[in-house]
Amino acid sequence: MPKQENYYFFRPKLSQRDIAGFLQIDTKTLYNWKKHKPNLYRIVMLGFKFEETLNLSKQHYEELLKIEANIKEEYLKTKDN
């Protein structure tokens, strides 16, 4: 099995079961937080959303770097000709 941090944070969407597993709690506990402690549940979900958004931003940045490198490479090829 992959490292826990990679397994949970590099997946596009997490299920309630995934979130509960990462937090090492039962899915019922997560449901109870949602029902009886909505602020705690909201903060936990915001944390997961932040991680998801951060990882997507990193992926987009890396893609942009590759595009930039390809453009520079193509430019140098045309300049040499």
Side-chain angles (χ1 to χ4, degrees):
M1 183 171 177
K3 286 185 180 179
Q4 188 176 21
E5 62 205 40
N6 292 338
Y7 176 74
Y8 286 102
F9 291 124
F10 291 102
R11 293 184 57 192
K13 294 288 179 183
L14 296 174
S15 69
Q16 295 289 308
R17 176 181 273 170
D18 293 332
I19 292 168
F22 178 78
L23 296 172
Q24 297 178 346
I25 60 172
D26 192 72
T27 52
K28 291 178 186 179
T29 302
L30 197 58
Y31 172 77
N32 286 334
W33 288 356
K34 185 176 183 178
K35 186 175 179 180
H36 300 291
K37 297 182 179 185
N39 288 334
L40 174 61
Y41 180 82
R42 184 177 64 80
I43 289 168
V44 168
M45 294 300 113
L46 285 173
F48 281 99
K49 187 65 177 174
F50 175 79
E51 287 290 332
E52 178 184 335
T53 303
L54 182 62
N55 287 323
L56 284 174
S57 294
K58 286 178 184 177
Q59 289 174 0
H60 292 150
Y61 176 72
E62 290 170 2
E63 288 175 23
L64 288 171
L65 289 176
K66 289 177 186 176
I67 291 169
E68 180 186 34
N70 288 340
I71 290 171
K72 286 180 180 178
E73 183 180 320
E74 290 298 319
Y75 172 74
L76 291 175
K77 285 180 184 177
T78 60
K79 189 177 178 183
D80 290 341
N81 290 332

